[in-house]
Amino acid sequence: MLSLNELWFLLVGVLFVGFFFLEGFDFGVGMSTKFLARTDGEKRVLINSIGPFWDANEVWLLTAGGAMFAAFPNWYATLFSGYYTPFVVLLLALIGRGVAFEFRGKKETERWKKSWDWAIFLGSLLPPFLFGVVFAGLIQGLPIDGQMEMKAGLFDMVNVYTLLGGVTVTVLCLVHGLMFTTLRTIGSLQERARKQAKMLLVPLAVLFVAFGAMTYFKTDVFEVRGGILTAVAVVGVIVYVLAGYFMAKKRDGWAFGMTGGVIILSIASVFIGLFPRVMISSIDKAFDLTIHNAASGQYSLKVMTIVALTLLPFVLGYQIWSYFVFHKRLHEKEHLEY
């Protein structure tokens, strides 16, 4: 039976997985507005396709951060203080992106729209890249001392391995977003989205292989969780191949499910590799943050569990309902601006 510490680590992992699955296609669609859309009408279609969903999808990130703060305060404090600058940039990117969605359609001048188009593009590009850098850093290990303080320099956080992680996550979200576009649009826009997704499959596979190889040789996660990570990798390869197969057959719903499956397996593997640690110290393994030394007291975890189990069904029910209501495909004749 799971302990409360294990349960909350699992819940934090599930929240991040849900965030990347849902917000991942938002990020992908936002990035694609810069090169996939050929007309202003097509840009509107892309923005409208995620208009009813993006803000609810970001709730998963807020909830994940809140769960970390309440269940694992030492993890939250060490991570957010150590990565203070990247997280500020990430937050500003998300704010700019959200404002752009709301303000882009308020004026019909070209300069106005182009400015907000750049905010949407950068606000969709930077978050997955920065998250990839941070997650790769968690796997690689960071200079954390005995007082649970992270004293990382620039090259502890930004190096070949973490940059590769950032690029991999970014391209994965882009492919996922392109497949979401095939589900929400019709005509030439849909065809171009499918074509570009298929073109990115090989480069993305190369990134995955390179990142997996560096993870094997540069980190200890395969020593700690080698068996289960190998099984996840095998399943991931199968799901990835199926994604390409369904794209070729133009079975877009299945292809979107497969790219989502790759995201789920990728993010889940991060937490599997860390467990029972939450942050790895590159100074000394004795300084690792774990689900035990980084956690709140048992009473706090118990109260939080009761509250979470009470509210979670309502949150999930609302989100499922919103996807059902806004499920139809869009086209250029629909000028509603979200």
Side-chain angles (χ1 to χ4, degrees):
M1 184 176 180
L2 290 177
S3 68
L4 290 177
N5 301 65
E6 293 169 337
L7 174 63
W8 276 96
F9 179 80
L10 176 63
L11 288 176
V12 170
V14 168
L15 288 168
F16 273 109
V17 166
F19 168 73
F20 277 99
F21 180 90
L22 296 171
E23 192 71 357
F25 69 71
D26 280 357
F27 290 145
V29 172
M31 285 184 272
S32 71
T33 57
K34 206 64 183 172
F35 57 84
L36 181 64
R38 293 177 177 173
T39 65
D40 183 66
E42 288 186 344
K43 285 185 180 179
R44 285 194 172 197
V45 168
L46 291 175
I47 294 170
N48 289 350
S49 71
I50 58 174
F53 311 125
W54 67 268
D55 48 355
N57 292 343
E58 286 186 2
V59 170
W60 287 74
L61 176 61
L62 297 175
T63 307
M68 287 175 61
F69 174 77
F72 302 102
N74 292 324
W75 182 13
Y76 181 92
T78 302
L79 178 65
F80 280 76
S81 61
Y83 276 107
Y84 183 81
T85 300
F87 279 137
V88 168
V89 174
L90 188 152
L91 181 62
L92 291 175
L94 290 175
I95 292 172
R97 178 173 174 265
V99 171
F101 286 144
E102 300 296 333
F103 278 78
R104 183 184 183 276
K106 301 302 181 183
K107 290 175 66 175
E108 291 297 323
T109 62
E110 184 177 355
R111 184 177 179 182
W112 174 269
K113 288 187 175 181
K114 281 187 175 180
S115 298
W116 292 119
D117 285 344
W118 275 107
I120 291 172
F121 174 72
L122 294 175
S124 300
L125 174 72
L126 288 175
F129 175 76
L130 292 172
F131 270 120
V133 169
V134 170
F135 278 19
L138 293 182
I139 298 171
Q140 181 178 242
L142 295 154
I144 300 170
D145 62 21
Q147 285 70 50
M148 299 185 182
E149 293 184 7
M150 176 177 153
K151 299 179 179 179
L154 175 62
F155 295 108
D156 293 312
M157 295 184 288
V158 182
N159 49 63
V160 174
Y161 180 70
T162 59
L163 289 175
L164 182 59
V167 173
T168 303
V169 173
T170 303
V171 177
L172 177 58
C173 288
L174 176 56
V175 173
H176 192 46
L178 289 169
M179 291 316 303
F180 181 76
T181 298
T182 66
L183 293 178
R184 296 279 287 154
T185 61
I186 58 176
S188 62
L189 185 60
Q190 180 192 46
E191 289 294 330
R192 275 182 274 128
R194 188 185 297 114
K195 181 179 179 180
Q196 291 189 12
K198 288 191 289 186
M199 289 174 57
L200 288 171
L201 282 179
V202 173
L204 180 57
V206 172
L207 289 170
F208 267 122
V209 170
F211 185 75
M214 290 191 72
T215 300
Y216 183 83
F217 289 108
K218 287 182 64 68
T219 74
D220 68 351
V221 295
F222 276 92
E223 296 177 18
V224 178
R225 290 283 180 268
I228 189 169
L229 285 176
T230 301
V232 170
V234 171
V235 175
V237 170
I238 295 172
V239 173
Y240 196 90
V241 171
L242 287 173
Y245 171 79
F246 288 124
M247 286 180 195
K249 295 295 183 180
K250 297 185 178 181
R251 299 181 66 178
D252 299 323
W254 282 98
F256 174 76
M258 294 301 107
T259 58
V262 174
I263 288 180
I264 290 171
L265 293 169
S266 300
I267 303 304
S269 65
V270 173
F271 289 89
I272 292 170
L274 285 174
F275 184 81
R277 303 164 297 182
V278 293
M279 293 187 75
I280 300 171
S281 173
S282 60
I283 299 175
D284 192 321
K285 290 186 180 297
F287 300 153
D288 289 350
L289 273 66
T290 70
I291 62 172
H292 302 291
N293 64 16
S296 295
Q298 290 299 299
Y299 179 76
S300 297
L301 294 176
K302 184 177 180 180
V303 172
M304 288 166 51
T305 302
I306 296 171
V307 173
L309 292 176
T310 302
L311 297 179
L312 186 60
F314 296 98
V315 175
L316 292 177
Y318 164 76
Q319 194 147 27
I320 293 170
W321 175 81
S322 68
Y323 277 95
F324 174 77
V325 170
F326 297 102
H327 70 278
K328 76 169 186 173
R329 295 179 184 271
L330 303 176
H331 51 80
E332 283 193 57
K333 293 182 180 179
E334 296 182 351
H335 295 293
L336 179 62
E337 189 80 50
Y338 286 99

